[in-house]
Amino acid sequence: MVQCEMCGAETSSPNTIKVEGAKLDVCSNCTDFGTEVTQTSSSSTSTKYSTDSSSSSSSGGQSSGSSTGSASSGGSSQRRRSDMFDDMEELATDYDDRVRNARESTGLSQSDLANELNEKASLIRKIERGDTLPSDRVQSKLENFLEIDLSAEGSSDGDSEWSGGSSTGSYTLGDVVKRKD
């Protein structure tokens, strides 16, 4: 038995879903909180994905007529809902340092940079302190003007720090989330 990474319930057949960019193994009750991730390897232990595609191609409507549960899951795996986080690039964790270093290397003050970008100096101060995240528009202005890249490339430093839970499901989402109280 594996523990659901969202609610902690014991489950014998976990489903892998993507929630805000993170892949989680969850119970059937928690699958609605994210988008279902299809298995990419053909030698998967779960036959859920391979059976639906082969049976729908070979037997046609017979599969969808006999079992509505497999037809609905097959349809969702083939026509996966788009997660808004799939298209987003992650902002680098050290974006504030990158902006500050690039601004200082050009010899501009915060107010001079703000004037060049047609933004408020207080916004530049907050971004350099790491108090606020730049909007997509401000991020592209900063990247173009300062000739820097603020997106995280490949695996972020936060991913390398996280070793993950063991296969017994010793960690749940609640164990690792840091609350802002």
Side-chain angles (χ1 to χ4, degrees), residues 47-82:
T47 58
K48 175 179 176 184
Y49 300 106
S50 59
T51 335
D52 285 340
S53 62
S54 64
S55 66
S56 63
S57 63
S58 62
S59 60
Q62 188 178 22
S63 171
S64 62
S66 62
S67 172
T68 57
S70 66
S72 65
S73 67
S76 66
S77 64
Q78 293 170 357
R79 216 175 354 105
R80 188 175 80 82
R81 290 184 303 176
S82 176

Side-chain angles (χ1 to χ4, degrees), residues 83-167:
D83 191 348
M84 66 182 252
F85 296 99
D86 290 341
D87 300 329
M88 293 176 62
E89 289 186 19
E90 281 190 47
L91 190 63
T93 55
D94 63 337
Y95 71 94
D96 50 348
D97 293 329
R98 291 184 189 186
V99 171
R100 184 182 320 104
N101 292 337
R103 177 188 56 81
E104 289 173 350
S105 69
T106 58
L108 294 173
S109 68
Q110 289 178 339
S111 58
D112 292 338
L113 177 61
N115 289 336
E116 291 291 333
L117 300 178
N118 199 21
E119 297 292 336
K120 293 184 179 182
S122 61
L123 176 64
I124 303 299
R125 275 193 299 276
K126 288 179 182 178
I127 290 172
E128 287 187 2
R129 280 195 314 251
D131 290 343
T132 188
L133 297 173
S135 66
D136 292 339
R137 182 179 53 81
V138 173
Q139 179 180 346
S140 65
K141 283 182 180 182
L142 286 167
E143 288 176 336
N144 291 334
F145 185 78
L146 297 173
E147 297 176 355
I148 57 173
D149 186 23
L150 297 178
S151 60
E153 293 130 15
S155 64
S156 63
D157 294 336
D159 289 344
S160 62
E161 292 175 14
W162 170 250
S163 61
S166 66
S167 61

Side-chain angles (χ1 to χ4, degrees), residues 2-35:
V2 177
Q3 220 176 9
C4 172
E5 293 178 344
M6 285 195 78
C7 68
E10 295 287 328
T11 179
S12 59
S13 58
N15 299 319
T16 303
I17 63 169
K18 194 171 191 180
V19 179
E20 296 187 10
K23 290 182 182 177
L24 302 173
D25 290 328
V26 298
C27 64
S28 58
N29 294 334
C30 295
T31 55
D32 293 338
F33 295 116
T35 56

